[in-house]
Amino acid sequence: MLNANARSHSKGLCAMYVRSALEGGGVPTFGFPGNACEYFDFLPRLDFKEVATHKSKKYEPKAGDIMVFAAQKGHKSGHIAMYNGKMWVSDFKQPKGIWVARIYQDNPNYKVYRRKDGWSYRSISLEEYKLIFSGKDDIIKATKNRWKKTKARLNKDK
């Protein structure tokens, strides 16, 4: 989903695209923040753990890793991207790596997060999409139940 939706250049919608990829992979994102830089606090609530920062000497990205940049002058929302196994992707493919704007390179301040218990990569069902677009609160209950089942399956497979 992340790769399919990505454009050749930024549209300023990195948080929305990464969130959509998370949801497409089966991670519920209710209560999601609007700005990329706010994912510093949000991702740990989704069972993501910090695996690297701008100060890390050794870090090897893995598919599904998420990098969050703090807000900077001229970039008040910060930036967020997910690693697809070959490159970082947000609302656009980043073939030049993590540095999407010079200000981030001049004043680096980012963290990389990875799921603690693995990644389900499960798509949302048609019934769940219907609930989302109907505006019913039942989607919260449906997603929580789906997530419990996914966690139980992952624990059973261990």
Side-chain angles (χ1 to χ4, degrees):
M1 178 172 245
L2 183 69
N3 295 323
N5 291 333
R7 305 290 183 228
S8 60
H9 61 282
S10 178
K11 296 171 65 177
L13 299 172
C14 59
M16 184 180 85
Y17 278 64
V18 171
R19 180 180 53 81
S20 293
L22 286 169
E23 289 174 353
V27 178
T29 62
F30 293 100
F32 64 87
N35 293 318
C37 61
E38 295 168 338
Y39 277 76
F40 282 122
D41 297 324
F42 185 67
L43 288 172
R45 294 195 323 238
L46 301 177
D47 290 332
F48 279 81
K49 66 179 178 179
E50 181 183 312
V51 294
T53 72
H54 59 281
K55 297 178 183 178
S56 300
K57 300 257 187 250
K58 293 183 180 181
Y59 163 70
E60 287 292 324
K62 291 186 178 182
D65 282 2
I66 298 176
M67 183 174 289
V68 180
F69 284 87
Q72 299 281 355
K73 184 177 181 181
H75 297 269
K76 67 179 181 171
S77 296
H79 182 64
I80 188 169
M82 183 182 285
Y83 193 70
N84 70 5
K86 295 182 182 180
M87 73 173 70
W88 291 96
V89 182
S90 56
D91 57 337
F92 69 105
K93 294 178 181 174
Q94 301 174 199
K96 296 180 182 179
I98 64 171
W99 307 117
V100 297
R102 181 69 189 200
I103 190 76
Y104 294 121
Q105 193 169 0
D106 291 344
N107 186 20
N109 186 0
Y110 65 83
K111 292 181 181 179
V112 181
Y113 296 89
R114 184 176 292 155
R115 282 288 300 197
K116 290 179 184 177
D117 60 355
W119 186 266
S120 71
Y121 290 108
R122 182 190 165 290
S123 295
I124 293 174
S125 71
L126 179 60
E127 291 77 25
E128 290 165 324
Y129 276 118
K130 286 178 182 177
L131 286 171
I132 289 170
F133 292 114
S134 70
K136 293 182 180 176
D137 290 335
D138 292 345
I139 185 62
I140 295 171
K141 183 178 177 183
T143 302
K144 284 181 179 178
N145 288 338
R146 177 173 51 86
W147 188 237
K148 284 180 187 176
K149 288 177 185 176
T150 300
K151 278 189 165 181
R153 182 178 48 79
L154 288 171
N155 290 332
K156 183 180 174 185
D157 293 343
K158 287 183 179 178

